[in-house]
Amino acid sequence: MKWSFRGDDGAVAAIMVVSIVALLGFAAIVVDAGVLYTERRHLQTAADAAALAGVQELPGSPAAAVAQAQNYAAINGSIADDLKFTVMSKYSANDSIKAEVVDTARGLYFARFLGIDSAPVGAKATAVVASPSVMGSGVMPFGIMSKEPSGTAPFGYVYNQTVRLKQPAQQGQSGNFQFLALTDPPGGHYGNNDIKWALSNGGVPNPVYIGGIYNTKTGVNGNTVQKELNEWIGGDTHSFSQVTQLHADGSVDITDPACHRIIVCPIIVNPGPPIQYNWIDINGSKPVKVIGFAYFFIEAVGTTGNNCYVDGRFIRPLGADEDVLEWGAIDPYGRVAFKLID
């Protein structure tokens, strides 16, 4: 019996040693895993910031994009010792950048008792510069005719300068927009009531696609256009400077996206082949091709006889738009967004 009790004393000591090792193992899992998780969150912030900073130099200067990404990674992820930046092509050439930020030997605490002093931890992010390729809803049925986009003014207009859009009467050259039947799928026909509904409700309720072939709609009375468009604007009295923040390059931040004076219109051309940038060949009920989306700030709506005019400014907004259904290659006519995609 005495030998048995003495044997139990040794067993208890052995169990205590094993228990302490197990507790240290659990502590290593809980504490050090938490350290690595926190560190990864920090590095993810650095990777996101680096990718978003670099992509704003694309697609024009891949070298500047990498340099900008390196600067932001250094500011936000100083503990990282392995940085990699890759300019890639998603929708068009050199339109995205991938940032990889790694701390190759993050020091651990309790895991050192198990012989593990450090562990690698890292994060990555990819950002792209893109424009809408499909609007989910809210496109006004004004087809803005584009001039050949070879000059400095996109589709024939200078951003942020006051212009007058005028409903065509008899011939296309007398005005700058043509009403469109923005059906889904493209190519269908609208009646006047469909145009009226879209104007008074801020646009069509269905998707509109870049590259889609849509039919023009004739016989829309300018007085009706004025009435329905003013119904949409309602009591919105915002001025241009109240809802936009202008940048040196002519782009703007929209400070009040809910402003009813900001509308989206499709940019159109004669689909060809060959594509023609003129009004004559689309006078009447003809198919046209949507090649972009223009954002327009309405300053005044009125009529001259039966023709409606819309005064305002074309703008180039920066940032995402909740009405965008799909993003694609940079649109030379409208919105640009710098987006994280991974």
Side-chain angles (χ1 to χ4, degrees), residues 161-251:
Q161 291 187 4
T162 301
V163 297
R164 168 163 289 188
L165 300 182
K166 183 180 178 184
Q167 178 186 359
Q170 304 304 321
Q171 292 190 14
Q173 296 96 320
S174 65
N176 303 100
F177 64 74
Q178 182 101 297
F179 286 105
L180 302 183
L182 297 176
T183 57
D184 185 29
H189 293 272
Y190 271 172
N192 281 341
N193 286 337
D194 298 300
I195 297 291
K196 289 168 58 177
W197 188 95
L199 293 173
S200 61
N201 286 275
V204 296
N206 52 266
V208 177
Y209 306 83
I210 287 183
I213 306 296
Y214 296 88
N215 292 312
T216 56
K217 178 71 178 71
T218 60
V220 182
N221 184 278
N223 291 294
T224 300
V225 175
Q226 178 192 34
K227 175 180 177 296
E228 302 301 333
L229 194 54
N230 279 327
E231 182 174 329
W232 167 248
I233 294 173
D236 193 323
T237 60
H238 286 113
S239 67
F240 178 72
S241 61
Q242 288 176 327
V243 294
T244 60
Q245 182 178 351
L246 188 61
H247 298 286
D249 63 357
S251 61

Side-chain angles (χ1 to χ4, degrees), residues 22 79 81 90 98 114 119 136 142 161 191 202 205 241 247 253 255 257 267 293 323 326:
I79 57 173
D81 55 10
K90 181 172 177 62
K98 182 178 181 180
L114 304 178
F142 298 125
Q161 291 187 4
S241 61
H247 298 286
D253 291 327
T255 56
I267 305 298
F293 296 112
D323 289 328
E326 294 181 14

